[in-house]
Amino acid sequence: MANIVPASEFRQLFLTHRPLMDVRAPVEFIKGAFPQAINLPLMNDSERTQVGTCYKQLGQQAAIELGHTLVSGNIKQQRIDAWCQHIQQQPNSFLYCFRGGLRSQLTQQWLQHAGINIPYIQGGYKAMRGFLINTIDCAPAKNQILVISGSTGSGKTEFIHQRKDAIDLEGFANHRGSSFGSQITAQPSQINFENNLAIALLTHQQYHQTSNAKLIVEDESFLIGRAAIPHNFFQAMQQAPVVIVEQSFEQRVQRLHQEYVVNMQAQYYQQLGRDAGANAFAHYLQQSISKIRKRLGGKQHDELQHLILQALQQTTLDGHYAWISQLLAEYYDPMYQYQLEKKANKIVFKGSHQAVHQWLDEHA
């Protein structure tokens, strides 16, 4: 096996989910990493900072000497042992640092002295990250984007999950897109959102290589929570044909009740216990409605907030149907109709879930 992995292998590296050993400092890893990577740093954050300061003040050679002083003896052996343990578990791993420079080369050398040969990635994290950004920018030219739209609660995400030619933007963002869309777990960093999107696009392209293959995505705003859809990709979505999934008002109310009330309460209870979970669930609902106070207007916001408080005081969850129905009828549906009018010339089909699936199977 070659000791250096060239950029020509990046596509296959991500498609096969090749295990990666990231030897950057933890602070670098937290900002952004790849889903198949594990962080086993050559230097911790403090050591990296000291070496960086030394480099600026005294130059490269002094910084290298300081690094060897800081990571020596037992500390060095502990790092090597951690690398060896990982490679024993994942023997086909590659390693990388930020640019594929001294940290990658030194890690490789130390492992060779321990009897292990592991390739490092040419250009490191920076080169792989650039490859993924380029993948997103070029995706609209590979497959025509088709946008699935529909009123709030019409089951667009559910529909997306049923299609092998679709990708789930909200899943990568860990957010459902609306004011009530936050999840119990945190959203990924912007970099990790983009990395996961790019890898999904690579996978889609691998299995949909025909000239007429479509890339199906859900209709989204530029921001999904705090995750921003990359500019070029979002612009392509804005210009793409639109397919509308339709469901009755009653079906949509029922789905929102299940998703934002029943499921969320159960998740808070499971994570925090009943008492703390009930308080967290109540805070989630009240905070979510407060996010759109300005758009609702003070009077309507206060009415909805009152209905939510009333529902939270009941022993069953049925009271939540009242505020969901009012919010849908008086806020989300009028907003959707306004947005739909602006994209009317892009709509190519509308119908039930079943009808849209059938149309896509015939045309996509």
Side-chain angles (χ1 to χ4, degrees):
M1 182 184 291
N3 278 344
I4 301 177
V5 181
S8 59
E9 294 190 29
F10 287 177
R11 178 179 295 274
Q12 198 61 23
L13 178 156
F14 287 115
L15 286 173
T16 58
H17 305 286
R18 168 80 65 165
L20 300 174
M21 192 174 86
D22 186 326
V23 300
R24 296 177 300 157
V27 68
E28 298 173 278
F29 186 84
I30 290 170
K31 288 179 181 177
F34 308 114
Q36 69 266 46
I38 183 171
N39 187 215
L40 295 170
L42 172 66
M43 294 185 291
N44 63 29
D45 293 339
S46 174
E47 293 158 355
R48 174 178 173 267
T49 298
Q50 292 178 65
V51 169
T53 301
C54 181
Y55 179 87
K56 291 178 182 178
Q57 295 176 347
L58 302 174
Q60 184 183 55
Q61 189 57 41
I64 292 173
E65 292 173 2
L66 176 60
H68 280 286
T69 300
L70 293 172
V71 185
S72 61
N74 289 336
I75 293 176
K76 176 180 174 180
Q77 191 58 51
Q78 288 170 6
R79 308 248 163 109
I80 294 173
D81 290 345
W83 298 336
C84 291
Q85 182 179 2
H86 167 75
I87 296 165
Q88 287 172 358
Q89 296 171 350
Q90 302 284 357
N92 62 334
S93 295
F94 295 153
L95 76 88
Y96 65 90
C97 62
F98 184 65
R99 291 189 179 91
L102 287 174
R103 284 186 286 180
S104 289
Q105 295 164 24
L106 191 59
T107 301
Q108 187 183 67
Q109 290 170 13
W110 288 359
L111 282 168
Q112 285 173 343
H113 293 157
I116 293 176
N117 184 36
I118 175 174
Y120 74 82
I121 294 172
Q122 187 176 42
Y125 170 84
K126 187 176 181 180
M128 290 188 287
R129 169 76 176 148
F131 170 78
L132 293 181
I133 291 172
N134 185 64
T135 296
I136 298 172
D137 287 342
C138 295
K142 301 276 188 181
N143 299 116
Q144 183 187 6
I145 294 176
L146 195 63
V147 172
I148 299 297
S149 190
S151 302
T152 301
S154 57
K156 299 181 289 295
T157 301
E158 177 184 319
F159 182 93
I160 289 288
H161 288 171
Q162 294 169 351
R163 300 213 50 99
K164 294 180 179 179
D165 49 2
I167 62 171
D168 180 13
L169 296 171
E170 292 184 357
F172 304 138
N174 195 34
H175 195 283
R176 289 160 296 192
S178 71
S179 59
F180 287 82
S182 60
Q183 304 280 11
I184 291 180
T185 51
Q187 286 193 261
S189 69
Q190 178 66 26
I191 290 173
N192 286 352
F193 167 69
E194 293 170 359
N195 288 347
N196 287 324
L197 168 59
I199 293 168
L201 290 169
L202 288 172
T203 303
H204 182 278
Q205 291 163 12
Q206 183 186 30
Y207 292 104
H208 301 88
Q209 298 181 3
T210 60
S211 59
N212 64 340
K214 300 292 190 296
L215 171 63
I216 299 174
V217 297
E218 185 175 340
D219 195 3
E220 302 288 355
S221 301
F222 174 63
L223 290 175
I224 308 175
R226 59 177 175 82
I229 299 174
H231 178 75
N232 288 353
F233 193 83
F234 181 71
Q235 288 299 111
M237 288 174 58
Q238 293 296 98
Q239 302 302 319
V242 176
V243 175
I244 308 291
V245 291
E246 298 176 321
Q247 288 204 323
S248 70
F249 184 82
E250 290 74 19
Q251 287 175 310
R252 293 188 290 121
V253 168
Q254 186 61 49
R255 176 176 283 106
L256 294 176
H257 184 272
Q258 181 68 38
E259 186 171 346
Y260 293 140
V261 176
V262 178
N263 293 350
M264 288 299 288
Q265 185 197 63
Q267 290 176 41
Y268 278 114
Y269 281 12
Q270 182 177 11
Q271 184 181 73
L272 303 174
R274 190 172 185 86
D275 291 341
N279 290 333
F281 172 63
H283 177 73
Y284 153 74
L285 292 181
Q286 293 170 304
Q287 184 182 49
S288 296
I289 198 68
S290 294
K291 289 177 184 177
I292 51 175
R293 181 188 180 98
K294 289 183 180 179
R295 294 181 182 178
L296 288 168
K299 182 174 181 294
Q300 191 175 35
H301 168 267
D302 293 347
E303 288 177 2
L304 289 164
Q305 190 75 269
H306 178 69
L307 289 174
I308 289 173
L309 288 171
Q310 281 187 323
L312 289 168
Q313 293 169 4
Q314 296 179 18
T315 56
T316 72
L317 298 177
D318 289 349
H320 291 279
Y321 283 110
W323 67 263
I324 292 173
S325 298
Q326 183 172 329
L327 184 63
L328 202 58
E330 298 182 10
Y331 175 70
Y332 280 115
D333 282 1
M335 181 173 63
Y336 170 72
Q337 288 301 320
Y338 170 75
Q339 294 172 343
L340 193 63
E341 289 171 5
K342 294 195 294 184
K343 62 184 76 173
N345 62 325
K346 302 188 192 78
I347 298 172
V348 294
F349 187 77
K350 59 175 66 177
S352 65
H353 279 221
Q354 181 179 354
V356 173
H357 276 305
Q358 182 176 346
W359 185 89
L360 289 173
D361 290 342
E362 295 170 355
H363 293 83

